[in-house]
Amino acid sequence: MGWRPALRPYLLIVPALLLTCGILYPFGLGLYYTLFDFSASKPQPDLVRLENYTTVFTQGAFWNSAWVTVLYAVGAAAAETVLGVSVALLLHRSSLVGRVLEKILILPLMIAPVIAAIIWKLMLQPSVGVVNHLLRPVGLGGVQWTDTPAGALLSSIAVDVWVYTPFVAILALAGLRSLPTSPFEAAAVDGAGRWYTFRRLTLPMLWPYVLVAVIFRFMDSLKVFDIIYALTEGGPGDSTVVLQIRAYLEAIRFQRYSFGISYTIVLWAVVYLAAMVLVKHLGKIQRKAAEVK
Amino acid sequence: MDTHAHDRRRFLALGAALAATPLLSACGTGFGGGDGKSDGSAADDVTGSFDWKREKGTTVKALLNKHPYTDALIADLKSFTERTGIEVEYDVFPEDNYFDKLTVDLSSGRASYDVFMLGAYMVWQYGPPGWLEDLGPWMRNSSATAAEWDQADFFPNLLQADQWSLKAGAPLGQGGQYALPWGWETNVVAYNTDVFEKLGLRPAETFDELRDIAGTIKRKAPGAGFDGMYGIAVRGSRSWATIHPGFMTMYARNGLKDFTVEGGKLTPAMNSPEAVAFTRDWAAMVKQGGPPSWTSYTWYQCSSDLGAKKAGMLFDADTAAYFQAVEGAGPASGKIAFHPGPKGPDGSLATNMWIWSLGMNARSRKKSAAWLFLQWATGKEHLRKGAIRHHHIDPVRRSIADDPAYKDKMRHLPGFLDTFETVVDQTKIQFTPQEQFFDATTSWAAALQEIYGGENAESVLNGLAGDLAGKVG
């Protein structure tokens, strides 16, 4: 064999290798920085090893942010899944209306989340916002949507749901359209009811698609920054300061670089572990779905 | 086969080593940009007689915040270029993003911008890392500085506000001059004369009166023909900017401190019994007479609510009211009057200030040209033009504040000149200078929001003080 064919496999992995380096280099550098006390006021920092992490974990602020992040991610991903699958089922039943609505449904996905948050911030404004204006006839025109901790968190989740439910719906719809028809025909012949068919056939076969959507949305929601920052800046109090916002404040606003990066590394670890669990679960679900088919 | 596998392992090992090289080299090279400091000032290189044209043909790059003061500067840039032969390129960012942009740019160690706008508080953050040029040597060098620049003409408290020794807790007015005052704001009360007249109100002389008036307006104004009007617009977003205008002004008038300093050690004082009582009262005032959705309020909303006749009063920068008071600005223009605001229990009119300053990047490679720009922008001629022809009000120079043309321009705004003259000498930075200013005041704003939301003021402020003690001590 000549040297060119022998070299070909190695050349083919060069792009992947470069990509890997491009990912690993900043990541490694970030990780390295967390071992130091590096801030604007300490441009020549001391090696503090794992002190930044111990400080992070002993801070009440971290646990508050971690709790808010989890609440947000679970709330947003759950609501988007339920709504997205419901919308997909409705669209799947009516093909003509479904096709028209599909085009409209995708609109929020074309808006940058930060812009969506600003639009919603105006709409939720208590005195001039359209939401309170619409609720006024039923006596709910004075709601201070983002002035309370619960209201601010729920409003942020609502904006996330508004932006990303179509994403789940589109994935679920694609899944529904790719399901084999024969199991449903057999169920119809056997006289199975709608609920039974949905529970025993549609849902198990659709689960792999739904779970892919859940994985994407859960991961993204854990990393949320733009929607919350534009809507509440993390307030009132610390009620919507998720880990990303905490990291941004520490690293950029307060210029404690190492400490801010430590927050992002912790967040990365959480996202990575959650992704591993969910992907493993996805494999099992896929195998079960294949058995139903 | 074996050989092939061996080769593959070797290749992968080599690949991994190559991938690790930049990481290892990064380990060796340290952290971002190196120190790049030199002992001598570049100002010492300027010798001979002063010459506006000495940097002819140079281009200076400026980073500016979107502001009426900036508009006045841009409108007059041609005269700078005509005088010096220096071109100015500039980027303008809205305030929401401006300081992030500036912070990231300065911390990167690049010299993307030679000059920029900043507040005096930013000196506490940008000064210690060595990002700001000390302008003192430039000011003292008669070869670099025109005689007509006239340093003595600046209000002394403004020039001192940008001067600091870079030591936490050390008073301002000592050490390097890290920026020059360019435009400033004093925090006073502006009110809608129509609603005051109709409800038979007079501007508050005490804080208790202010709270009462705010509540009265919210209760009675809608029934008196001012639909949807509330009492008082004050900032409430979870930001350092919420603390420094009305809140800090009234806090200082009550004789309260953010930190106490003993032997260079800072101790948070925002949880003293008097501070707790005041903060509780402030939150109650907002609750009784403040805007709906207060926790998102920035100066933009406060100002526009006064202008739109949605707020009966504004306790914020005089400029925030001025921009609504001028003819044609909005529904309330011509109906806005100014007042120094409530006095403290001992009659104090101590007022917190904000200064838009101009600074120079310590890494600029065009310092001589940048200094000419700073001189021109803070000089009498440009600032006079800005104050009289544009909206560059609250002059940093006494000669402009005393200028009959300026007084004529401002005279039609009820109470503006009287208020300005009453508080000008008592207006200074009421915060304790220290690097963690932004962390402290952002957390303070978050605490204020929690108290407004019904949390116990004492425990919230004790928590805040405990948190800050570890950071600033």
Side-chain angles (χ1 to χ4, degrees), chain B residues 191-250:
Chain B
Y191 60 96
N192 183 303
T193 51
D194 269 357
V195 75
F196 267 57
E197 204 173 295
K198 201 140 192 182
L199 298 181
L201 301 169
R202 291 166 60 83
E205 295 296 336
T206 67
F207 185 49
D208 285 344
E209 281 177 25
L210 186 74
R211 286 167 53 206
D212 285 347
I213 293 171
T216 303
I217 293 173
K218 194 163 185 174
R219 279 196 318 277
K220 295 186 177 172
F226 300 91
D227 277 351
M229 182 181 271
Y230 62 85
I232 187 162
V234 287
R235 304 185 203 188
S237 73
R238 194 182 179 281
S239 158
W240 62 271
T242 284
I243 300 298
H244 86 95
F247 179 83
M248 193 60 191
T249 295
M250 205 61 241

Side-chain angles (χ1 to χ4, degrees), chain A residues 30-289:
Chain A
L31 204 61
Y32 169 74
Y33 279 6
T34 63
L35 305 177
F36 290 81
D37 176 14
F38 176 33
S39 65
S41 56
K42 270 203 145 183
Q44 294 304 320
D46 301 324
L47 178 70
V48 294
R49 296 190 173 83
L50 298 177
E51 199 180 297
N52 283 317
Y53 293 101
T54 51
T55 310
V56 164
F57 287 120
T58 50
Q59 271 191 340
F62 166 77
W63 293 107
N64 173 65
S65 290
W67 175 239
V68 175
T69 307
V70 169
L71 274 183
Y72 182 91
V74 170
E80 284 155 21
T81 306
V82 171
L83 283 172
V85 172
S86 307
V87 169
L89 288 167
L90 286 171
L91 294 180
H92 186 52
R93 289 174 66 83
S94 167
S95 59
L96 180 65
V97 178
R99 277 192 203 106
V100 175
L101 289 180
E102 230 176 278
K103 308 285 183 291
I104 299 168
L105 197 67
I106 207 165
L107 283 177
L109 282 175
M110 295 174 181
I111 298 172
V114 69
I115 304 293
I118 291 167
I119 293 169
W120 275 94
K121 187 174 182 170
L122 294 173
M123 296 205 302
L124 293 173
Q125 214 283 332
S127 51
V128 295
V130 69
V131 176
N132 275 7
H133 179 72
L134 293 172
L135 290 173
R136 213 153 279 145
V138 290
L140 290 172
V143 181
Q144 311 265 330
W145 292 99
T146 55
D147 259 15
T148 61
L153 186 62
L154 285 173
S155 301
S156 308
I157 291 174
V159 176
D160 200 299
V161 169
W162 183 80
V163 176
Y164 291 111
T165 294
F167 171 77
V168 180
I170 286 163
L171 271 187
L173 192 60
L176 281 171
R177 288 184 181 154
S178 67
L179 296 184
T181 52
S182 51
F184 293 97
E185 287 162 1
V189 169
D190 290 344
R194 273 187 191 172
W195 174 239
Y196 185 86
T197 309
F198 173 73
R199 202 160 51 88
R200 303 304 292 265
L201 283 180
T202 314
L203 209 52
M205 287 195 286
L206 191 63
W207 256 120
Y209 300 94
V210 174
L211 199 62
V212 168
V214 170
I215 291 171
F216 275 113
R217 289 310 313 134
F218 188 64
M219 300 299 104
D220 268 356
S221 305
L222 282 175
K223 297 182 294 178
V224 67
F225 176 83
D226 39 16
I227 288 177
I228 295 186
Y229 199 75
L231 199 67
T232 68
E233 273 186 83
D238 281 352
S239 62
T240 53
V241 180
V242 289
L243 286 168
Q244 288 277 66
I245 291 180
R246 184 78 62 192
Y248 160 78
L249 290 175
E250 289 292 347
I252 306 293
R253 281 280 162 91
F254 311 148
Q255 299 183 334
R256 294 190 280 256
Y257 310 128
S258 295
F259 197 57
I261 300 168
S262 304
Y263 266 98
T264 59
I265 296 290
V266 171
L267 178 62
W268 166 80
V270 171
V271 174
Y272 187 77
L273 287 174
M276 269 177 44
V277 171
L278 286 171
V279 168
K280 200 172 169 188
H281 197 56
L282 177 65
K284 282 184 196 162
I285 296 274
Q286 278 171 333
R287 282 192 291 279
K288 276 189 187 167

Side-chain angles (χ1 to χ4, degrees), chain B residues 331-472:
Chain B
S333 57
K335 303 286 181 192
I336 292 173
F338 293 80
H339 183 264
K343 295 183 180 69
D346 61 353
S348 166
L349 276 177
T351 303
N352 193 44
M353 70 156 83
W354 168 260
I355 309 182
W356 274 118
S357 310
L358 291 173
M360 190 196 298
N361 193 333
R363 292 179 193 277
S364 168
R365 286 184 292 273
K366 298 169 188 169
K367 288 184 182 175
S368 176
W371 174 242
L372 289 173
F373 173 78
L374 294 185
Q375 265 186 86
W376 170 82
T378 57
K380 289 179 188 174
E381 197 178 316
H382 165 68
L383 288 179
R384 186 176 185 277
K385 224 183 277 180
I388 294 165
R389 292 193 204 159
H390 300 280
H391 293 310
H392 197 136
I393 55 148
D394 277 4
V396 294
R397 288 178 168 274
R398 197 175 286 282
S399 62
I400 297 167
D402 293 339
D403 193 310
Y406 168 75
K407 288 193 169 179
D408 275 352
K409 180 187 174 181
M410 305 306 283
R411 197 157 280 137
H412 73 283
L413 295 174
F416 185 92
L417 287 173
D418 288 345
T419 299
F420 182 82
E421 281 159 15
T422 304
V423 298
V424 64
D425 292 329
Q426 298 171 77
T427 304
K428 62 175 190 139
I429 289 180
Q430 305 288 348
F431 291 100
T432 307
Q434 46 99 15
E435 285 173 58
Q436 305 303 327
F437 169 81
F438 293 101
D439 188 358
T441 42
T442 304
S443 307
W444 203 349
L448 201 51
Q449 290 184 336
E450 286 178 25
I451 296 164
Y452 167 80
E455 298 287 324
N456 180 282
E458 193 179 356
S459 64
V460 169
L461 292 170
N462 279 339
L464 171 70
D467 231 30
L468 293 177
K471 293 175 181 170
V472 299

